Coordinates of all heavy atoms in Angstrom, one line a residue:
M1 N 70.1 41.8 99.2 CA 70.3 43.0 100.1 C 71.7 43.5 100.0 O 72.5 42.6 100.4 CB 69.7 42.6 101.4 CG 70.1 43.4 102.6 SD 69.6 43.0 104.3 CE 68.4 41.7 104.2
P2 N 71.8 44.7 99.9 CA 73.2 45.3 99.8 C 73.9 45.2 101.2 O 73.1 45.2 102.2 CB 73.0 46.7 99.2 CG 71.6 47.1 99.5 CD 70.8 45.7 99.5
P3 N 75.2 45.2 101.2 CA 75.9 45.1 102.5 C 75.6 46.3 103.4 O 75.6 47.5 102.8 CB 77.5 45.1 102.1 CG 77.5 44.6 100.7 CD 76.2 45.0 100.0
T4 N 75.4 46.1 104.5 CA 75.2 47.2 105.5 C 76.1 47.1 106.7 O 76.7 45.9 106.9 CB 73.7 47.2 106.1 OG1 73.4 46.0 106.8 CG2 72.7 47.5 105.0
G5 N 76.3 48.0 107.3 CA 77.4 48.1 108.5 C 77.0 47.0 109.6 O 75.7 47.0 109.9
A6 N 77.9 46.4 110.2 CA 77.6 45.6 111.3 C 78.7 45.9 112.4 O 79.6 46.6 112.1 CB 77.7 44.1 110.9
D7 N 78.4 45.6 113.6 CA 79.3 45.9 114.7 C 80.5 45.1 114.5 O 80.4 43.8 114.7 CB 78.5 45.7 116.0 CG 79.4 46.0 117.3 OD1 80.6 46.5 117.1 OD2 79.0 45.7 118.3
A8 N 81.6 45.6 114.3 CA 82.9 44.9 114.2 C 83.5 44.5 115.6 O 84.3 43.6 115.6 CB 83.9 45.9 113.6
R9 N 83.0 45.1 116.6 CA 83.5 44.9 117.9 C 85.1 45.0 117.9 O 85.8 44.3 118.7 CB 83.1 43.5 118.5 CG 81.6 43.5 118.7 CD 81.2 42.3 119.3 NE 79.7 42.2 119.4 CZ 79.1 41.0 119.4 NH1 79.7 40.0 119.6 NH2 77.8 41.2 119.5
D10 N 85.6 45.9 117.2 CA 87.1 46.1 117.0 C 87.2 47.7 116.6 O 86.8 47.9 115.4 CB 87.8 45.2 116.2 CG 89.2 45.5 116.1 OD1 89.7 46.5 116.4 OD2 89.9 44.6 115.5
P11 N 87.8 48.5 117.3 CA 87.9 49.9 116.8 C 88.7 50.1 115.6 O 88.6 51.1 115.0 CB 88.4 50.7 118.1 CG 89.1 49.6 118.8 CD 88.5 48.3 118.6
H12 N 89.4 49.1 115.2 CA 90.3 49.3 113.9 C 89.7 48.5 112.8 O 90.3 48.5 111.8 CB 91.7 48.8 114.3 CG 92.3 49.4 115.5 ND1 92.6 50.8 115.5 CD2 92.5 49.1 116.8 CE1 93.2 51.2 116.6 NE2 93.1 50.1 117.5
S13 N 88.5 48.0 112.9 CA 88.0 47.2 111.9 C 86.6 47.8 111.4 O 86.0 48.5 112.1 CB 87.7 45.7 112.3 OG 88.9 45.0 112.5
S14 N 86.3 47.5 110.1 CA 85.1 47.8 109.5 C 84.5 46.4 109.0 O 85.2 45.7 108.6 CB 85.2 48.8 108.4 OG 83.9 49.0 107.6
L15 N 83.1 46.3 109.2 CA 82.4 45.0 109.0 C 81.2 45.3 108.3 O 80.4 46.1 108.8 CB 82.3 44.1 110.2 CG 81.6 42.8 110.1 CD1 82.3 41.9 109.1 CD2 81.3 42.2 111.5
K16 N 81.0 44.7 107.2 CA 79.6 44.8 106.5 C 79.1 43.5 106.0 O 79.9 42.7 105.6 CB 79.8 45.7 105.3 CG 80.0 47.1 105.6 CD 80.0 48.0 104.4 CE 80.3 49.4 104.8 NZ 80.0 50.4 103.7
C17 N 77.9 43.2 106.1 CA 77.2 42.0 105.8 C 76.1 42.3 104.9 O 75.3 43.3 105.0 CB 76.8 41.2 106.9 SG 78.1 40.7 108.1
G18 N 75.8 41.4 104.0 CA 74.5 41.4 103.1 C 74.2 40.1 102.5 O 74.9 39.1 102.7
A19 N 73.1 40.1 101.9 CA 72.6 38.7 101.5 C 72.0 38.8 100.1 O 71.4 39.9 99.6 CB 71.5 38.2 102.4
S20 N 72.0 37.7 99.3 CA 71.5 37.7 98.0 C 71.0 36.3 97.6 O 71.4 35.2 98.4 CB 72.5 38.0 97.0 OG 73.6 37.2 96.9
T21 N 70.2 36.1 96.8 CA 69.6 34.8 96.3 C 70.0 34.6 94.8 O 69.6 35.5 94.0 CB 68.1 34.6 96.5 OG1 67.8 35.0 97.8 CG2 67.6 33.4 96.1
E22 N 70.6 33.5 94.6 CA 70.9 33.2 93.2 C 70.4 31.7 93.0 O 70.7 30.8 93.7 CB 72.4 33.2 93.1 CG 73.2 34.4 93.3 CD 72.8 35.5 92.2 OE1 72.6 35.1 91.0 OE2 72.8 36.8 92.5
A23 N 69.6 31.6 92.0 CA 69.0 30.3 91.6 C 68.3 29.8 92.9 O 67.4 30.4 93.5 CB 69.9 29.4 91.1
M24 N 68.8 28.7 93.4 CA 68.0 28.2 94.6 C 68.9 28.2 95.9 O 68.7 27.4 96.8 CB 67.8 26.7 94.4 CG 66.9 26.4 93.2 SD 65.2 27.1 93.5 CE 64.7 26.1 94.8
I25 N 69.9 29.2 95.8 CA 70.8 29.3 96.9 C 70.9 30.7 97.6 O 70.7 31.7 96.8 CB 72.2 29.0 96.5 CG1 72.4 27.6 96.1 CG2 73.3 29.4 97.5 CD1 73.8 27.3 95.5
V26 N 70.7 30.7 98.9 CA 70.8 32.0 99.6 C 72.2 32.2 100.1 O 72.8 31.3 100.7 CB 69.9 32.0 100.9 CG1 70.0 33.3 101.7 CG2 68.4 31.9 100.5
M27 N 72.8 33.3 99.8 CA 74.2 33.7 100.1 C 74.3 34.9 101.1 O 73.8 35.9 100.7 CB 75.1 33.8 99.0 CG 75.2 32.6 98.0 SD 76.2 33.0 96.5 CE 75.1 33.9 95.6
T28 N 74.8 34.6 102.3 CA 75.0 35.8 103.2 C 76.5 35.9 103.2 O 77.2 35.1 103.5 CB 74.4 35.4 104.4 OG1 73.1 35.1 104.4 CG2 74.6 36.7 105.5
T29 N 76.9 37.1 102.8 CA 78.3 37.5 102.8 C 78.7 38.6 103.7 O 78.0 39.6 103.6 CB 78.8 37.9 101.3 OG1 78.5 36.8 100.5 CG2 80.2 38.1 101.1
C30 N 79.9 38.5 104.3 CA 80.4 39.5 105.1 C 81.6 39.9 104.8 O 82.5 39.0 104.3 CB 80.4 39.0 106.8 SG 78.8 38.8 107.4
L31 N 82.1 41.2 104.8 CA 83.4 41.6 104.5 C 83.9 42.4 105.5 O 83.2 43.3 106.2 CB 83.2 42.6 103.2 CG 82.3 42.1 102.1 CD1 81.7 43.2 101.4 CD2 83.3 41.4 101.0
W32 N 85.3 42.4 105.9 CA 85.9 43.2 106.8 C 87.3 43.7 106.3 O 87.8 43.1 105.4 CB 86.1 42.4 108.2 CG 87.3 41.5 108.2 CD1 88.6 42.0 108.5 CD2 87.5 40.1 107.9 NE1 89.5 40.9 108.4 CE2 88.8 39.7 108.1 CE3 86.6 39.2 107.4 CZ2 89.2 38.5 107.7 CZ3 87.0 38.0 107.3 CH2 88.4 37.6 107.4
V33 N 87.6 44.8 106.8 CA 88.9 45.4 106.6 C 89.3 46.0 107.9 O 88.7 46.5 108.7 CB 88.8 46.4 105.5 CG1 87.9 47.5 105.8 CG2 90.3 46.9 105.1
N34 N 90.6 45.9 108.1 CA 91.4 46.5 109.3 C 92.7 47.0 108.9 O 93.1 46.8 107.7 CB 91.4 45.8 110.6 CG 92.0 44.5 110.6 OD1 93.1 44.2 109.8 ND2 91.6 43.5 111.1
H35 N 93.6 47.3 109.8 CA 94.9 47.8 109.3 C 95.8 46.6 108.7 O 96.7 46.9 108.1 CB 95.8 48.3 110.5 CG 95.0 49.7 111.1 ND1 94.3 50.4 110.4 CD2 95.3 50.4 112.3 CE1 94.0 51.6 111.1 NE2 94.5 51.5 112.2
Y36 N 95.5 45.4 109.0 CA 96.3 44.3 108.7 C 95.7 43.3 107.7 O 96.4 42.7 107.1 CB 96.6 43.5 110.0 CG 97.2 44.3 111.0 CD1 96.5 44.8 112.3 CD2 98.5 44.9 111.0 CE1 97.0 45.6 113.2 CE2 98.9 45.7 111.9 CZ 98.2 46.2 113.0 OH 98.8 47.0 114.1
T37 N 94.3 43.2 107.8 CA 93.8 42.1 106.9 C 92.6 42.7 106.3 O 91.9 43.7 106.6 CB 93.4 41.0 107.8 OG1 92.4 41.4 108.8 CG2 94.6 40.3 108.5
A38 N 92.1 42.0 105.2 CA 90.8 42.2 104.5 C 90.4 40.9 104.2 O 91.1 39.9 103.9 CB 91.1 43.1 103.4
G39 N 89.0 40.6 104.3 CA 88.5 39.3 104.0 C 87.1 39.3 103.8 O 86.4 40.3 104.1
S40 N 86.7 38.3 103.2 CA 85.2 38.0 102.9 C 84.9 36.7 103.3 O 85.7 35.7 103.1 CB 84.8 38.3 101.6 OG 85.3 37.4 100.8
V41 N 83.8 36.4 103.7 CA 83.1 35.0 104.3 C 81.8 35.0 103.6 O 81.0 35.9 103.8 CB 83.1 34.8 105.7 CG1 82.7 33.4 106.1 CG2 84.5 35.0 106.3
T42 N 81.5 33.9 102.9 CA 80.1 33.6 102.3 C 79.6 32.2 102.9 O 80.3 31.3 102.9 CB 80.2 33.6 100.8 OG1 80.6 34.7 100.3 CG2 78.7 33.4 100.3
F43 N 78.4 32.5 103.5 CA 77.6 31.4 104.0 C 76.5 31.1 103.1 O 75.8 32.0 102.7 CB 77.1 31.7 105.4 CG 78.2 32.2 106.5 CD1 78.4 33.6 106.5 CD2 78.9 31.3 107.2 CE1 79.3 34.0 107.4 CE2 79.9 31.8 108.0 CZ 80.0 33.2 108.1
T44 N 76.4 29.8 102.7 CA 75.3 29.4 101.7 C 74.2 28.6 102.3 O 74.7 27.7 103.3 CB 76.0 28.8 100.5 OG1 76.7 27.5 100.9 CG2 76.9 29.7 99.9
A45 N 73.0 28.5 101.8 CA 72.0 27.7 102.2 C 71.0 27.5 101.0 O 71.0 28.4 100.1 CB 71.3 28.3 103.4
W46 N 70.4 26.4 100.9 CA 69.2 26.3 99.9 C 68.1 27.0 100.3 O 67.7 27.4 101.4 CB 68.9 24.8 99.8 CG 70.1 24.0 99.5 CD1 70.7 23.0 100.2 CD2 70.7 23.8 98.2 NE1 71.7 22.4 99.4 CE2 71.6 22.9 98.2 CE3 70.4 24.5 97.0 CZ2 72.4 22.6 97.1 CZ3 71.0 24.2 95.9 CH2 72.1 23.3 96.0
V47 N 67.4 27.6 99.2 CA 66.3 28.4 99.5 C 65.1 27.7 100.2 O 64.4 28.3 101.1 CB 65.6 28.8 98.0 CG1 64.2 29.5 98.1 CG2 66.6 29.8 97.4
D48 N 65.0 26.5 100.2 CA 64.1 25.6 101.0 C 64.4 25.6 102.4 O 63.7 25.0 103.2 CB 63.8 24.3 100.3 CG 65.0 23.3 100.5 OD1 66.1 23.8 101.2 OD2 65.0 22.2 100.0
G49 N 65.6 26.1 102.9 CA 65.8 26.3 104.2 C 66.6 25.1 104.8 O 66.7 25.1 106.1
R50 N 67.2 24.3 104.0 CA 68.0 23.3 104.5 C 69.4 23.5 104.1 O 69.7 23.3 102.8 CB 67.7 21.9 104.1 CG 66.2 21.6 104.8 CD 65.9 20.2 104.3 NE 65.1 20.5 103.1 CZ 64.9 19.6 102.1 NH1 65.2 18.3 102.2 NH2 64.3 19.8 101.0
P51 N 70.5 23.8 104.8 CA 70.3 24.3 106.2 C 69.6 25.8 106.1 O 69.7 26.4 105.0 CB 71.7 24.4 106.8 CG 72.5 24.6 105.5 CD 71.7 23.9 104.3
A52 N 69.2 26.2 107.3 CA 68.5 27.4 107.4 C 69.6 28.6 107.1 O 70.7 28.6 107.5 CB 68.0 27.7 108.7
P53 N 69.2 29.6 106.1 CA 70.0 30.7 105.9 C 70.4 31.5 107.1 O 69.5 31.6 107.9 CB 69.3 31.5 105.0 CG 68.3 30.7 104.4 CD 67.9 29.6 105.4
L54 N 71.6 32.0 107.2 CA 71.9 32.8 108.5 C 71.5 34.3 108.2 O 71.5 34.8 107.0 CB 73.5 33.0 108.6 CG 74.3 31.7 108.8 CD1 75.7 32.0 108.9 CD2 73.8 31.2 110.2
D55 N 71.0 34.8 109.3 CA 70.6 36.3 109.2 C 71.9 37.0 109.2 O 73.0 36.6 109.7 CB 69.5 36.7 110.2 CG 70.0 36.6 111.6 OD1 71.3 36.6 112.0 OD2 69.2 36.5 112.5
Q56 N 71.9 38.3 109.1 CA 73.1 39.1 109.1 C 73.8 39.2 110.4 O 75.0 39.2 110.5 CB 72.7 40.6 108.5 CG 72.5 40.7 107.2 CD 72.4 42.1 106.6 OE1 71.8 42.8 107.3 NE2 72.8 42.2 105.3
A57 N 72.9 39.2 111.5 CA 73.7 39.2 112.8 C 74.4 37.9 113.1 O 75.6 38.0 113.6 CB 72.6 39.4 113.9
D58 N 73.8 36.7 112.7 CA 74.5 35.6 113.0 C 75.8 35.4 112.0 O 76.8 35.0 112.5 CB 73.7 34.3 112.5 CG 72.5 34.0 113.7 OD1 72.7 34.5 114.9 OD2 71.6 33.5 113.3
A59 N 75.6 35.9 110.8 CA 76.7 35.9 109.9 C 78.0 36.9 110.4 O 79.1 36.5 110.4 CB 76.4 36.3 108.6
A60 N 77.4 38.0 110.9 CA 78.6 38.9 111.5 C 79.3 38.3 112.6 O 80.5 38.4 112.7 CB 77.9 40.2 111.9
E61 N 78.5 37.7 113.6 CA 79.1 36.8 114.6 C 80.2 35.8 114.2 O 81.3 35.9 114.7 CB 78.1 36.4 115.6 CG 78.6 35.5 116.7 CD 79.5 36.5 117.7 OE1 79.2 37.6 117.8 OE2 80.4 35.9 118.3
R62 N 79.8 35.0 113.3 CA 80.7 34.1 112.8 C 81.8 34.7 112.1 O 82.9 34.2 112.2 CB 80.0 33.0 111.8 CG 79.0 32.2 112.6 CD 78.1 31.4 111.6 NE 77.1 30.7 112.4 CZ 76.6 29.5 112.0 NH1 77.1 28.9 111.1 NH2 75.7 28.9 112.6
T63 N 81.6 35.7 111.3 CA 82.7 36.5 110.6 C 83.7 37.1 111.6 O 84.9 37.0 111.4 CB 82.2 37.4 109.6 OG1 81.3 36.8 108.8 CG2 83.3 38.1 108.9
R64 N 83.2 37.7 112.7 CA 84.1 38.2 113.7 C 85.0 37.1 114.3 O 86.2 37.3 114.5 CB 83.3 38.9 114.8 CG 82.8 40.3 114.4 CD 82.2 41.0 115.6 NE 81.0 40.3 116.2 CZ 79.8 40.7 115.9 NH1 79.4 41.4 114.9 NH2 78.8 39.9 116.4
R65 N 84.4 35.9 114.5 CA 85.3 34.8 115.1 C 86.4 34.4 114.1 O 87.5 34.1 114.4 CB 84.4 33.6 115.5 CG 83.5 33.9 116.7 CD 82.9 32.7 117.2 NE 82.0 32.0 116.2 CZ 80.9 31.6 116.4 NH1 80.3 31.6 117.5 NH2 80.1 31.1 115.3
I66 N 86.0 34.4 112.8 CA 87.0 33.9 111.9 C 88.0 35.1 111.8 O 89.3 34.6 111.7 CB 86.3 33.7 110.5 CG1 85.5 32.5 110.6 CG2 87.3 33.7 109.3 CD1 84.5 32.4 109.3
R67 N 87.6 36.3 111.7 CA 88.6 37.4 111.6 C 89.5 37.3 112.8 O 90.8 37.5 112.7 CB 87.9 38.7 111.6 CG 88.7 39.9 111.5 CD 88.1 41.3 112.1 NE 87.6 41.1 113.5 CZ 86.7 41.7 114.1 NH1 86.1 42.7 113.4 NH2 86.6 41.5 115.4
D68 N 89.0 37.2 114.1 CA 89.8 37.2 115.2 C 90.8 36.1 115.3 O 91.9 36.2 115.9 CB 88.9 37.2 116.6 CG 88.1 38.5 116.6 OD1 88.4 39.5 115.8 OD2 87.1 38.5 117.5
T69 N 90.4 34.9 114.6 CA 91.2 33.7 114.7 C 92.4 33.9 113.7 O 93.6 33.6 114.1 CB 90.4 32.5 114.3 OG1 89.4 32.3 115.2 CG2 91.3 31.2 114.3
M70 N 92.2 34.7 112.7 CA 93.2 34.8 111.7 C 94.1 36.1 111.9 O 95.1 36.1 111.2 CB 92.8 34.6 110.3 CG 91.8 35.6 109.9 SD 91.2 35.3 108.1 CE 92.7 35.7 107.2
T71 N 93.7 37.0 112.7 CA 94.4 38.1 112.9 C 95.3 38.1 114.1 O 94.8 37.8 115.2 CB 93.5 39.4 113.1 OG1 92.6 39.4 112.0 CG2 94.1 40.6 113.3
I72 N 96.6 38.2 114.0 CA 97.6 38.2 115.0 C 97.9 39.6 115.5 O 98.4 40.5 114.6 CB 98.8 37.5 114.6 CG1 98.4 36.0 114.2 CG2 99.9 37.5 115.7 CD1 99.6 35.4 113.4
P73 N 97.7 40.0 116.6 CA 98.1 41.4 117.2 C 99.5 41.6 117.1 O 100.3 40.8 117.3 CB 97.5 41.4 118.6 CG 96.7 40.2 118.8 CD 97.1 39.3 117.8
T74 N 99.8 42.8 116.7 CA 101.2 43.2 116.8 C 101.7 44.2 117.9 O 100.8 44.7 118.5 CB 101.6 44.0 115.5 OG1 100.8 45.1 115.3 CG2 101.3 43.0 114.2

């Protein structure tokens, strides 16, 4: 699934998440960009559901927490 917009919960950020399956692995990737940082986070899971793949909303929530932790306001 190609990346689609997610709620960045920050007026200065853009956040997109998407998912793909390669071999036996499901990868959900989120990308963000703002005035200070850009980054991507990939969450992996086996196709058989162990651990369960993240849906885009869960991946976006985790990515926002990572972004907020590593972004220092100026």
Side-chain angles (χ1 to χ4, degrees):
M1 171 183 334
T4 58
D7 182 4
R9 295 188 187 156
D10 177 348
H12 304 291
S13 289
S14 174
L15 175 64
K16 292 186 177 192
C17 297
S20 65
T21 302
E22 298 292 330
M24 297 298 292
I25 297 176
V26 178
M27 295 176 288
T28 305
T29 301
C30 293
L31 312 145
W32 84 83
V33 63
N34 61 29
H35 294 341
Y36 309 106
T37 63
S40 66
V41 181
T42 301
F43 305 95
T44 59
W46 297 107
V47 170
D48 68 3
R50 290 177 281 157
L54 292 179
D55 65 20
Q56 286 185 328
D58 288 337
E61 177 60 33
R62 292 179 187 206
T63 300
R64 284 189 295 268
R65 289 189 305 226
I66 292 167
R67 178 204 62 202
D68 294 347
T69 298
M70 63 181 292
T71 303
I72 300 170
T74 59

